[in-house]
Amino acid sequence: MPTAGPAGGASARSKRADAVRNQQTLLDAAAEVFVTSGIDAPIRQIAARAGVGLGTLYRHFPTRADLVTAVYHHQIEACAEAGPKLLADAVSPFDALRQWVDLFTDFLVTKHGLADALQSDRDRFATLHTHFLDRLMPVCAQLLDAAVAAGEISPGIQPYELMRGIGNLCIGRDSDPRYDPRRLIEPLLQGLRPS
């Protein structure tokens, strides 16, 4: 009988680990589906991509708005955490900035439709947008500062301006699959270089 406590604890930890793993798998699958099929993609498609049943999906995310919000939080965090790693591992600060902008672009392409999905919950959308700026602007600033310090880009570019410019180039991607914002983002980045 004394061993029942630790075994029960290990079992509970294992179940929690499985739940966390399922949630991460669902968030990754939902992000992929949102990119390829849009934010209104069938929930069944997301569950199938994650390899879980609908019950598991609804247990973690009871409403579509819950799922959408969680996907964006997940992507914001992934994008924020990637900046310092890229800066440490990339060949140059400009290369790190370029790689981060690529991740940021993936996020923005997925993000379109968020306002519509959360239309009935403006407070949730406003909170998420504030979190987006609070988490990503400092990362963008760090990457820009490193590239300026290395002499790879001209000084004076503000993080908000760059993020907003990239965001504006991403508008329309979800309604026109022929449009690839990356074809315009690369010249934008090259324009940051000293002349």
Side-chain angles (χ1 to χ4, degrees), residues 173-188:
R173 171 62 181 96
D174 52 341
S175 62
D176 186 354
R178 298 171 301 165
Y179 174 62
D180 182 2
R182 284 181 178 79
R183 292 180 54 116
L184 297 174
I185 291 169
E186 184 57 31
L188 170 68

Side-chain angles (χ1 to χ4, degrees), residues 1-2 9-10 13 28 39-40 43 48 58 71 76 82 90 106 120 126 134 136 141 145 160 164 176 178 182 185 191:
M1 290 280 181
R13 276 194 301 279
D28 291 337
I39 201 132
D40 294 322
I43 294 295
Y58 284 119
V71 166
I76 288 167
D106 283 343
S120 62
D134 289 348
L136 297 185
D145 290 346
Y160 182 79
R164 180 75 186 255
D176 186 354
R178 298 171 301 165
R182 284 181 178 79
I185 291 169

Side-chain angles (χ1 to χ4, degrees), residues 6-47:
S11 177
R13 276 194 301 279
S14 175
K15 285 181 183 178
R16 282 193 299 270
D18 286 347
V20 169
R21 196 169 29 259
N22 281 344
Q23 186 171 16
Q24 292 303 310
T25 301
L26 281 164
L27 291 172
D28 291 337
E32 291 172 19
V33 169
F34 289 167
V35 167
T36 58
S37 303
I39 201 132
D40 294 322
I43 294 295
R44 286 186 187 285
Q45 186 179 353
I46 295 166

Side-chain angles (χ1 to χ4, degrees), residues 157-179:
I157 304 301
Q158 298 301 310
Y160 182 79
E161 292 171 329
L162 180 60
M163 291 169 60
R164 180 75 186 255
I166 292 166
N168 286 342
L169 289 174
C170 290
I171 293 172
R173 171 62 181 96
D174 52 341
S175 62
D176 186 354
R178 298 171 301 165
Y179 174 62

Side-chain angles (χ1 to χ4, degrees), residues 118-130:
L118 300 180
Q119 182 172 8
S120 62
D121 195 345
R122 299 232 183 264
D123 289 341
R124 187 188 298 208
F125 179 76
T127 300
L128 192 55
H129 183 69
T130 300

